[in-house]
Amino acid sequence: MRALLGWLLAAAVMLASGTASAHPHVRVDVTSEFLYAADGSVTGVRHAWTFDEAFSASALQGLQRKTDGTYSREELTSLAQAQVESFKEQTYFTIVTANVKQPFAEPIDCLFEYADNRLTLHFTLPLKAPVKAKHVRLAIFDRSFFIDFRLAKEHPLKLVGAPAGCEVWLGRSWMMPSLGNDRDRELLQEASEDSFKEGGANAAVGLLFLVPISVECP
């Protein structure tokens, strides 16, 4: 069951059933938090990712609903742990940079919440070592654009325990000169799936939709 609910197999089920027929196949609405220690160092990032209804329904197949239409916390926790584990090869689609890219320890606090026919995945990525820097960047993206990560319109990144005076900024991608928009997403839906594979014309198109978040502290 855990393997069935892993990311790649769940996605394969969606594709085979026709639930998702063109890139991107999954939409995720993102809010995140930078976690700070008392000395002002960043200790990790905590995510809350809300998946679209189609993927949520696919991921929940095989789970038993309660009479009130909800799912047990135990089942959702097991599902969340399997889902996060399936993200590991992609470094959890998360980059934290403070002068250099910061490595993560093993994820903790993995939990799914279910509301309004959508699953929200909560999990925390501790840094292997806390980092203290005036400028810290966060980027969440899928290079192949199989997943369309979209930042929340309001407060996509919150600071928990940050020093006084720290500010959050949304910026253009440092990898691409311009950002993608909804029209670009529509055009990509007409592209062949082969073009998104490694070596294809659209293999790195996800970078076009990357919106980095920066934190500046005094």
Side-chain angles (χ1 to χ4, degrees), residues 27 30 151-156 170:
R27 173 173 172 171
V30 172
L151 300 182
K153 292 182 179 179
E154 295 185 6
H155 309 299
L170 295 183

Side-chain angles (χ1 to χ4, degrees), residues 75-154:
E75 285 187 308
L76 290 181
T77 298
S78 179
L79 174 63
Q81 290 171 342
Q83 193 68 79
V84 172
E85 178 63 24
S86 73
F87 293 157
K88 189 171 185 177
E89 286 190 9
Q90 302 298 328
T91 322
Y92 311 101
F93 301 103
T94 303
I95 295 177
V96 173
T97 307
N99 297 319
V100 297
K101 183 178 176 181
Q102 301 298 312
F104 298 118
E106 290 297 312
I108 60 174
D109 302 332
C110 304
L111 175 67
F112 261 129
E113 288 185 334
Y114 181 69
D116 299 324
N117 298 319
R118 300 179 72 183
L119 285 168
T120 298
L121 178 63
H122 300 270
F123 66 106
T124 299
L125 294 172
L127 299 183
K128 281 194 173 181
V131 59
K132 195 170 185 179
K134 289 186 176 182
H135 304 281
V136 183
R137 280 177 168 168
L138 171 67
I140 301 164
F141 67 101
D142 176 11
R143 185 173 178 272
S144 70
F145 204 51
F146 189 96
I147 311 171
D148 182 4
F149 288 103
R150 302 192 187 193
L151 300 182
K153 292 182 179 179
E154 295 185 6

Side-chain angles (χ1 to χ4, degrees), residues 34-45:
F34 265 153
L35 308 178
Y36 286 80
D39 67 353
S41 59
V42 178
T43 62
V45 57

Side-chain angles (χ1 to χ4, degrees), residues 25 28 47 57 64 73-74 82 113 148 160 185 192 201 211-212:
H25 294 289
V28 177
H47 289 312
Q64 186 65 44
R73 184 180 181 88
E74 291 75 19
E113 288 185 334
D148 182 4
V160 179
R185 287 178 169 91
S192 70
V211 181

